């Protein structure tokens, strides 16, 4: 089986789908990896390291894609700056694996289906115990949560830890993390490691123990109930009334924070608006909001997707590249995830099996057998 690993051509993304280490672990008589020259450089992996791991290096996209049974990427197929259309190069009948963003790429899915390509969209991996080792959203949310604190700390231009110095004692920074899912918990842990005093909040009361176990104070909400969580473990969308009550609770905590990190998400829904303009006005000048929900509309009503803006003296970071911003570890984690997935879809003879009765394959296969399977 021939597995092609192209170089990513998405702006601000220096990750690669397969590391030399992962290729070496999978190296066998049945599997031949072909890696595009320079594909790993953004993540500090050289062509020589790929060669040493047993991969072939392809000097151009045509020879890379030709004859591939599987193509592995971080992002969906793109039209490169030199005019190369990756989608046209994926061989008919091949399996294409990437984060496809299927909700906004209906045309790409149609073209892949028309060309007889089976494609797996990694974001659709169910968050179940069986799928845990293949969950790239959690891996990249871990990166995003960590980086939210790093960028927030840099923008805050003050120390996070308490310091006792000859020039006096410096009090610790106050950090408030809203939403205690994967990104939020990692943000809490990172801010604690830097020595800040941290508060955490989530509408799911189940998260209280997790927040406290990381050394943060959990902000209690009297309206939080067990039924705010779906069977799948995600939050339910709150009503407009509840959202207003939540804002009333959060306002005082936000006002006294140096850095607020928002990660509140309800899958498939626009981000809940938890910070109003008045709440921003209530913050001290120089305070920072890092809005991880910028991609889906922002948890703060003043967030501008993809931009850092200053409003009423408060810096609001709406960058959407955080998940891609640690390319070495991001690539290493993604490579392991794809390795587990590959083993999941290989039978005992090392042959690829697309079994739509399998709970993982059926969840992530967005095109197969000439059809688009994804439904919004
Ligand atoms: P997650 O589902 O694990 O966590 C989201 C949390 O938000 C859940 O714990 C949920 O209970 C909570 N929540 C939902 N509604 C809420 C409300 N009204 N008030 C308070 N909490 C509420 O998701 P995640 O993987 O941690 O991702 C968090 C966010 O970070 C998402 O918006 C995701 O798209 C974003 N993200 C951004 C980047 C980036 O580069 N900016 C990268 C990765 C993830």
């Amino acid at each position: 089986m021939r597995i092609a690993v192209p170089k990513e051509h998405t702006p601000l993304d220096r990750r690669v789908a397969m590391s030399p280490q992962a290729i070496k672990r999978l190296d066998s008589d049945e599997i031949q990896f072909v890696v595009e020259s320079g594909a790993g450089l953004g993540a500090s992996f050289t062509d020589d390291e790929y060669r040493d791991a047993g991969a072939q290096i392809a000097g151009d996209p045509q020879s890379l894609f030709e004859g591939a049974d599987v193509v592995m990427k971080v992002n969906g197929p793109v039209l490169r700056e030199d005019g190369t259309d990756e989608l046209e190069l994926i061989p008919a009948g091949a399996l294409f694996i990437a984060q496809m963003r299927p909700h906004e790429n209906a045309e790409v899915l149609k073209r892949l289906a028309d060309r007889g390509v089976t494609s797996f969209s990694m974001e659709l991996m169910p968050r179940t115990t069986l799928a845990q080792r293949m969950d790239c959203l959690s891996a990249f949310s871990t990166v995003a949560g960590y980086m939210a604190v790093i960028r927030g700390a840099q923008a805050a231009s003050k120390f996070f830890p308490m310091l006792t110095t000859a020039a006096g004692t410096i009090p610790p920074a106050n950090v408030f993390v809203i939403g205690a899912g994967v990104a939020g918990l990692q943000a809490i842990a990172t801010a604690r490691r830097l020595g800040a005093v941290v508060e955490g909040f989530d509408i799911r009361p189940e998260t209280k123990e997790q927040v406290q176990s990381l050394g943060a104070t959990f902000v209690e909400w009297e309206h939080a109930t067990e039924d705010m969580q779906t069977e799948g473990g995600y939050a339910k969308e709150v009503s407009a009334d509840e959202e207003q009550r939540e804002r009333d609770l959060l306002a005082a905590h936000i006002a006294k924070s140096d850095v607020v990190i928002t990660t509140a998400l309800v899958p498939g829904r626009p981000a809940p608006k938890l910070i109003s303009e008045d709440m921003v006005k209530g913050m001290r000048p120089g305070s920072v909001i890092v809005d991880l929900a910028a991609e889906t509309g922002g948890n703060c009503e003043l967030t501008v997707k993809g931009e850092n803006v200053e409003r009423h003296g408060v810096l609001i970071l709406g960058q959407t590249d955080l998940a891609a911003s640690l390319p070495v570890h991001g690539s290493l984690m993604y490579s392991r995830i794809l390795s587990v997935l590959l083993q999941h879809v290989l039978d005992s003879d090392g042959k690829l099996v697309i079994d739509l009765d399998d709970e993982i394959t059926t969840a992530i296969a967005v095109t197969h057998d000439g059809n688009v399977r994804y439904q919004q």
Side-chain angles (χ1 to χ4, degrees):
M1 181 188 324
R2 188 176 162 92
I3 303 182
V5 182
K7 184 172 165 58
E8 298 295 321
H9 283 259
T10 299
L12 298 179
D13 200 336
R14 295 186 288 133
R15 293 170 293 180
V16 62
M18 270 283 150
S19 67
Q21 294 90 325
I23 288 180
K24 192 166 187 174
R25 278 195 296 271
L26 290 167
D27 191 38
S28 68
D29 291 345
E30 289 81 37
I31 301 180
Q32 174 65 63
F33 278 93
V34 190
V35 178
E36 187 168 1
S37 180
L41 283 181
S44 85
F45 311 136
T46 63
D47 286 357
D48 281 344
E49 286 177 293
Y50 281 110
R51 275 192 202 94
D52 291 347
Q56 287 174 10
I57 300 295
D60 61 88
Q62 283 72 21
S63 57
L64 172 82
F65 282 91
E66 199 177 334
D69 301 293
V70 181
V71 178
M72 291 179 164
K73 281 200 71 197
V74 177
N75 302 294
V78 295
L79 181 61
R80 297 185 182 185
E81 274 174 13
D82 66 0
T84 304
D85 189 350
E86 292 181 343
L87 205 150
E88 290 299 324
L89 293 178
I90 304 170
L95 170 62
F96 179 74
I97 309 176
Q99 297 178 94
M100 310 273 299
R101 305 168 76 93
H103 54 287
E104 55 192 48
N105 282 316
E107 184 56 31
V108 170
L109 297 191
K110 183 165 181 323
R111 285 177 63 200
L112 285 167
D114 288 349
R115 303 195 61 246
V117 172
T118 295
S119 47
F120 286 176
S121 189
M122 291 302 290
E123 309 95 316
L124 301 180
M125 189 64 72
R127 269 181 164 170
T128 59
T129 309
L130 177 65
Q132 209 170 23
R133 293 174 64 218
M134 296 175 251
D135 176 3
C136 76
L137 279 190
S138 289
F140 290 138
S141 285
T142 300
V143 175
Y146 172 84
M147 284 306 294
V149 175
I150 302 299
R151 291 194 183 171
Q154 193 169 24
S157 44
K158 51 191 314 198
F159 285 115
F160 263 29
M162 188 182 95
L163 293 180
T164 307
T165 77
T169 300
I170 292 164
N174 292 305
V175 174
F176 185 27
V177 178
I178 302 173
V182 180
L185 289 173
Q186 184 53 233
I188 290 172
T190 306
R192 286 289 301 136
R193 283 185 214 114
L194 280 179
V197 172
V198 184
E199 290 187 311
F201 173 75
D202 198 295
I203 46 168
R204 291 182 299 119
E206 291 79 0
T207 58
K208 176 178 175 178
E209 232 178 86
Q210 293 161 324
V211 168
Q212 289 176 333
S213 73
L214 294 169
T217 305
F218 187 71
V219 172
E220 306 269 359
W221 189 31
E222 56 183 339
H223 300 285
T225 56
E226 303 284 323
D227 69 352
M228 288 191 153
Q229 178 165 303
T230 64
E231 278 182 13
Y234 285 104
K236 289 184 188 162
E237 195 172 21
V238 297
S239 67
D241 278 359
E242 282 169 329
E243 208 167 277
Q244 185 51 51
R245 282 201 286 261
E246 190 181 340
R247 278 195 290 270
D248 294 343
L249 168 81
L250 299 182
H253 297 270
I254 289 171
K256 66 171 188 185
S257 298
D258 299 299
V259 176
V260 176
I261 295 171
T262 65
T263 76
L265 159 83
V266 176
R269 306 294 310 148
K273 288 277 180 280
L274 304 177
I275 306 182
S276 65
E277 180 161 11
D278 279 345
M279 289 158 86
V280 174
K281 283 184 189 165
M283 295 175 77
R284 268 191 305 274
S287 305
V288 180
I289 296 171
V290 186
D291 193 342
L292 279 189
E295 182 82 50
T296 49
N299 288 142
C300 171
E301 95 188 358
L302 301 182
T303 297
V304 179
K305 179 179 162 181
E307 286 181 33
N308 296 342
V309 294
E310 195 179 319
R311 297 286 185 266
H312 309 295
V314 174
L315 192 61
I316 304 170
L317 311 188
Q319 294 153 332
T320 53
D321 66 323
L322 276 83
S325 59
L326 286 182
V328 175
H329 283 128
S331 303
L332 288 172
M333 289 194 287
Y334 191 62
S335 306
R336 280 193 214 116
I337 284 166
L338 291 189
S339 304
V340 176
L341 175 62
L342 186 66
Q343 278 154 346
H344 184 79
V345 292
L346 292 181
D347 69 10
S348 52
D349 298 326
K351 271 190 60 192
L352 200 60
V353 181
I354 309 296
D355 174 9
L356 294 179
D357 289 330
D358 174 71
E359 74 173 72
I360 287 169
T361 305
T362 197
I364 63 175
V366 286
T367 66
H368 184 56
D369 252 350
N371 298 311
V372 174
R373 298 184 70 249
Y374 175 72
Q375 287 172 349
Q376 292 270 10

